[in-house]
Every structure is written in C-alpha cells, then in structure tokens.
Amino acid sequence: MNTRQLEAFRATMRSGSITGAATLLHISQPSVSRLISDLEVSIGFKLFVRIGRGLTPTVDGKTFYHAVEGMFMGMDRLEEFANSIKNSDEVEISIGTIQSIAAVELPRAVAKMHQSSNDVRFMIQSRNTPAILNSVQMHQLDLGIVGRSPPYEGVEVLYQKSVPYVCLVPENHWLADQVGLVDLNMLASTEEFVTFGGAFPESMMSIDPKLALTLRNGSRLSATNMPVSGALVREVNVLAICDPFSAEQTVMGGGVVFRPILQNLTYHVAIITPGQERLSRSAMRFVDILSTQIDQRVVELQKYLEAKST
C-alpha cells in the first residue's frame, strides 16, 4: 500500500467514477484502475463492485474510506503548518564576527539578504575570535565568523577557508612598486613593522618564533587589531603583516598597498554554529550567501597576489 494508491481510491470515492478520478489526478483511466486493483491486493478486500457501467463502494470500502480521508486531512493540516512556518513572521539571525570580515564582506552579504528577504532581522556583534567561540559554544549566537585555525572545539563548522597573509606597505615606501615576494627575513632587521606584541595572532599565522621576536625587537608599535595596524602603516610609514581582507579595507582608505609574502603564513576564516538543527532556513541561506562571497573574494585575491609575485 502506498500514497499514490490511496490517492486514486480517494479520488474515485469523491468523484464517483474511474473517469472522474483520472481527471482529478491528471492520469489515465487504466492507471487509476491499476492503482485501485493493487491497493485491493495489498489490503486483502474489495473496495468497489461493478453495477452496470458504474462502480459502487463496498461496505468495507466505505469504512476504509473514512480512515483514508482522515489520513489526508492530517496531511492537509501538515501542509498548512508547513506553509505557516514558511511564511512566518520575522526571523532574527545573531552573528558574531571578527573585524576583518565585519567591515566589508559581512555587510555585502547582509545587503543581499536584506534586499530579498523582508522578514529577516540581523543582530551583529564585532568581537575577537576567542570571544566569538565562547559565545557560540554557550549558544548565545546563531553564527560565528572566526579567524583561528581549526579545530574549533564544541561547535559545528559550516564553512572554512584559508588564505595567505600579506605585507601592508605605505604607497610611498620603496617596496610599494616592487614585484615578487616580500621576504620577511630579509626585512626584519632593517624595516620597522607593526607587530602583534606576542599576542595570539602570531600563533594563528604560524610565524616562526625567531622571526616574530626579531620583528618585535625592531618595533615600537604593536596592535592585535588589523584595522589599527593598517592605520598605523598609513600614518607612521611602517610595514605590517595583515590578513588580506583587512588589507583590502586599509587600501580603500588610501595611502597603502599590499604585497605577497614569501613565508607561508596562513590566515583562516570559518563560519561556525552551535548546531545546524538550531538554525532557521534563513540563517542557512545567509551562510550560503556569505561563504559564496568569501570564495569569490579569495579567488580575486589569489589572482592579484599571483600577478604581484612575478
């Protein structure tokens, strides 16, 4: 017994004939007859008897019809319930994001959803990675956008991407117009960098400890906030190691360019959640929009860095 057989039986009862049922279901009369015959074999009793050129339901058939109709009424209610969920009132998506994604990529993704979905509200907080991880683990946020390398304990990862760090350079610096990879080891003892002061970004990027120490010893400036580092590069005329998303934000402000780095320093971006089962359809759609956008930006960045590498 299957749903299609029950639909054929129900349609025949409602219309009073095989012909009527075929019209209701948009199938042929032989198909309706075969479905009813298969149903009778499955349940073990006759549903109709032929009287003249018409069909008359048996007593068992009438009793069975009441049960079938009740089942379909339940399905109709389920469909109404599904539609009520689909057309429900405003959904709020709470997001915690690192600064490198907060200023450009996230607003662009929000704009796309904001224009197409009138029933979605956003609650956005800009924090550092440890704070975001903690809030997602405690189910205080629907989504977290973090910049730390995996693993991400106690959360579910919906998307992750890795990109190389770059070197921020003042546009009037001798390095600005050069091509090829910037060798940090060659510059560490002669150029001043904005450093991270030994804070967690150094472990995130997997920088060599000796190189990090040399950079710190030759610098009077440290900042764990990438936009602050970019502003210092512009105003103080020094260099900085920066993730490419923050680098692009800094370039928009003028006075700064960025160059690819020889050393393999990797920046990680991930979208995390306490669990997919907690997310609304709107939240999952937003993850698709943001992850697609980041993928596209990474492709553009890689092309730019490749062009600057040779």
Side-chain angles (χ1 to χ4, degrees):
M1 181 170 52
N2 57 50
T3 303
R4 196 59 174 163
Q5 294 168 354
L6 295 174
E7 287 175 342
F9 170 58
R10 185 190 189 209
T12 303
M13 290 291 291
R14 284 188 160 194
S15 64
S17 69
I18 295 293
T19 302
T23 301
L24 287 174
L25 298 176
H26 305 290
I27 60 177
S28 66
Q29 295 179 40
S31 295
V32 174
S33 297
R34 184 169 57 254
L35 286 168
I36 292 176
S37 177
D38 291 343
L39 178 59
E40 289 176 332
V41 171
S42 176
I43 59 179
F45 54 82
K46 282 286 186 181
L47 296 169
F48 298 99
V49 293
R50 283 198 171 275
I51 299 178
R53 301 181 63 180
L55 286 180
T56 299
T58 63
V59 174
D60 290 337
K62 291 178 181 178
T63 302
F64 187 62
Y65 172 68
H66 292 304
V68 170
E69 193 62 40
M71 183 200 77
F72 276 96
M73 287 180 64
M75 291 179 66
D76 290 341
R77 283 195 292 269
L78 283 175
E79 185 174 354
E80 290 174 3
F81 183 66
N83 286 331
S84 70
I85 294 175
K86 179 180 178 181
N87 300 312
S88 60
D89 293 332
E90 292 182 342
V91 175
E92 182 176 277
I93 305 174
S94 58
I95 305 170
T97 178
I98 48 177
Q99 187 63 38
S100 61
I101 302 298
V104 177
E105 302 305 331
L106 182 65
R108 286 175 178 171
V110 169
K112 292 176 183 176
M113 190 119 179
H114 188 265
Q115 293 165 2
S116 62
S117 302
N118 295 327
D119 58 348
V120 178
R121 297 170 61 90
F122 288 92
M123 191 275 286
I124 301 169
Q125 304 174 22
S126 179
R127 303 180 183 178
N128 61 30
T129 288
I132 295 170
L133 277 169
N134 184 63
S135 294
V136 174
Q137 289 166 351
M138 296 179 66
H139 295 208
Q140 295 173 345
L141 293 169
D142 297 319
L143 300 171
I145 306 166
V146 296
R148 175 176 289 181
S149 59
Y152 310 96
E153 296 181 357
V155 299
E156 184 175 348
V157 179
L158 301 175
Y159 169 85
Q160 56 184 319
K161 198 77 173 181
S162 61
V163 290
Y165 275 88
V166 298
C167 182
L168 275 181
V169 182
E171 64 180 7
N172 60 352
H173 194 279
W174 66 269
L175 276 172
D177 297 326
Q178 301 293 312
V179 294
L181 301 172
V182 172
D183 188 345
L184 298 178
N185 286 319
M186 294 288 291
L187 298 172
S189 58
T190 59
E191 298 289 336
E192 183 175 4
F193 282 75
V194 181
T195 68
F196 297 116
F200 68 87
E202 289 184 357
S203 62
M204 286 165 50
M205 68 168 64
S206 303
I207 191 171
D208 179 75
K210 292 182 179 179
L211 174 58
L213 181 60
T214 302
L215 292 172
R216 287 200 301 273
N217 288 339
S219 175
R220 292 179 292 159
L221 303 168
S222 67
T224 57
N225 182 286
M226 294 292 185
V228 172
S229 295
L232 290 172
V233 170
R234 178 186 299 111
E235 300 299 330
V236 187
N237 203 41
V238 294
L239 307 179
I241 303 168
C242 188
D243 73 86
F245 301 105
S246 298
E248 284 198 317
Q249 296 172 32
T250 307
V251 168
M252 290 178 184
V256 176
V257 299
F258 63 89
R259 297 268 313 280
I261 294 175
L262 175 62
Q263 284 71 25
N264 185 25
L265 307 182
T266 305
Y267 184 72
H268 299 273
V269 177
I271 303 175
I272 60 175
T273 180
Q276 287 194 52
E277 72 281 356
R278 294 174 52 86
L279 296 180
S280 64
R281 292 180 301 107
S282 296
M284 290 301 298
R285 179 168 169 250
F286 179 74
V287 170
D288 289 338
I289 292 172
L290 179 58
S291 58
T292 299
Q293 182 175 300
I294 292 176
D295 282 339
Q296 292 171 346
R297 297 298 294 153
V298 168
V299 170
E300 293 170 2
L301 284 165
Q302 288 173 337
K303 289 180 179 178
Y304 174 83
L305 294 175
E306 287 172 5
K308 288 290 185 179
S309 299
T310 56

